[in-house]
Amino acid sequence: MSASSLQIFVERRRRLFVLTGAGCSTSSGIPDYRDSDGRWKRVPPATYQDFMGRLSARRRYWARSLLGWQRFRQARPNDAHRALARLEAMGKSELLLTQNVDRLHQAAGNASVIDLHGRLDLVRCMGCGRRTARDELQDDLGRLNAGWLALDAADAPDGDADLDGADFSSFEVPACRRCGGVLKPDVVFFGENVPRDRVDAALRHLDEADALLTVGSSLMVYSGYRFVETAARAGKPVAAVTLGRTRADALLALKVEEPCEAALAFLL
Ligand SMILES: [Zn+2]
């Protein structure tokens, strides 16, 4: 199927529910997790149980994040983000639900966005619930671990960096300044549920939409796949822009196997 089929799909709908994934942000310099068959490209990220249960897992996470955040925070929207912002400006977008935690849709100008998996620019205390800026924690991490900042590591998804084989036992993990609790990035980890009110809010928007457009997601994670499943069950057509296989291939009315920016270029 060609991009012109996608243009017709978009023109025929009144209100689209847009669901985006990592493929939207790859050309902004944020690497993808999975290959074209939906398999992990590298060691899967830490689970919620690991992170909360083991100091060693938190040391490893924050050491990698200390290096990865420096590049991640500088990422800027690309033409795929701009095209989807344009869709909203045209009044065609009911909601943009993103699995990305990079806030690049908001940076591109989308106003109606739900960050399904949270946002990496905030840190939450698991003790008192206080939210603080990730940049603030970066200062603490850097001050406590000055030697680590000099290390160079390849960038990995979600502000992570590859530091395989490193010994993390000397890494200092800061605690909440208010209560001493465990600090966790304000994103949904694997093994952790998406907050129910967030899912419900997104489902209400899906109810108002007459079709679903998914961009740059393999839909391998159930939290995203459920929206495609719900749309299909309600008889709403689903179009996907993605490179490679998705978990929802059998449910798609249209599949465009092109890079996101190319497939959406007709909107710009
Ligand atoms: Zn706290």
Side-chain angles (χ1 to χ4, degrees):
M1 284 296 194
S2 67
S4 60
S5 313
L6 181 64
Q7 185 165 3
I8 292 163
F9 181 92
V10 168
E11 281 167 0
R12 279 185 184 160
R13 315 297 158 190
R14 196 175 44 85
R15 301 288 281 176
L16 290 162
F17 182 99
V18 182
L19 170 63
T20 70
C24 235
S25 292
T26 44
S27 72
S28 290
I30 297 170
D32 200 349
Y33 282 116
R34 295 175 191 269
D35 64 19
S36 58
D37 284 322
R39 289 180 302 241
W40 292 112
K41 283 178 180 171
R42 50 171 68 78
V43 183
T47 65
Y48 176 77
Q49 288 74 16
D50 256 0
F51 186 88
M52 293 307 296
R54 296 190 301 125
L55 175 59
S56 61
R58 293 195 292 279
R59 281 184 170 136
R60 183 169 185 275
Y61 178 89
W62 288 119
R64 296 161 61 113
S65 174
L66 170 65
L67 304 180
W69 176 249
Q70 302 182 101
R71 286 281 296 278
F72 186 89
R73 68 188 297 281
Q74 290 170 19
R76 295 293 174 262
N78 61 58
D79 277 347
H81 299 106
R82 283 187 276 273
L84 292 172
R86 178 86 194 104
L87 193 69
E88 187 187 86
M90 291 160 65
K92 283 271 198 182
S93 178
E94 168 64 28
L95 176 78
L96 193 152
L97 178 67
T98 185
Q99 299 171 291
N100 300 337
V101 295
D102 53 35
R103 303 282 289 176
L104 292 180
H105 289 298
Q106 290 89 343
N110 269 96
S112 182
V113 181
I114 292 181
D115 299 304
L116 184 64
H117 293 158
R119 44 192 288 188
L120 205 61
D121 62 343
L122 293 180
V123 173
R124 185 155 63 103
C125 170
M126 301 305 281
C128 68
R130 180 175 180 237
R131 282 183 169 82
T132 48
R134 175 65 182 77
D135 275 335
E136 194 181 300
L137 180 65
Q138 185 74 2
D139 295 341
D140 291 350
L141 284 167
R143 199 172 47 249
L144 291 168
N145 304 282
W148 288 78
L149 269 176
L151 293 174
D152 194 15
D155 288 305
D158 288 355
D160 200 356
D162 284 325
L163 282 176
D164 293 329
D167 175 10
F168 300 102
S169 59
S170 67
F171 194 85
E172 294 270 355
V173 178
C176 173
R177 285 184 195 172
R178 188 159 78 183
C179 79
V182 170
L183 297 179
K184 178 179 167 293
D186 198 12
V187 299
V188 176
F189 274 36
F190 287 88
E192 185 179 10
N193 290 324
V194 175
R196 188 68 229 180
D197 57 344
R198 204 179 289 168
V199 174
D200 289 344
L203 285 172
R204 282 195 296 276
H205 283 286
L206 181 56
D207 206 40
E208 295 296 314
D210 55 3
L212 189 150
L213 169 64
T214 171
V215 180
S217 175
S218 62
L219 302 167
M220 289 299 163
V221 182
Y222 180 72
S223 60
Y225 175 77
R226 79 187 329 159
F227 292 94
V228 175
E229 202 180 36
T230 304
R233 207 184 297 128
K236 300 177 199 248
V238 179
V241 175
T242 182
L243 292 173
R245 201 167 72 81
T246 81
R247 181 177 174 181
D249 278 357
L251 303 176
L252 301 179
L254 173 65
K255 185 173 181 183
V256 180
E257 295 201 61
E258 286 177 32
C260 305
E261 292 153 288
L264 299 173
F266 69 92
L267 288 166
L268 292 173

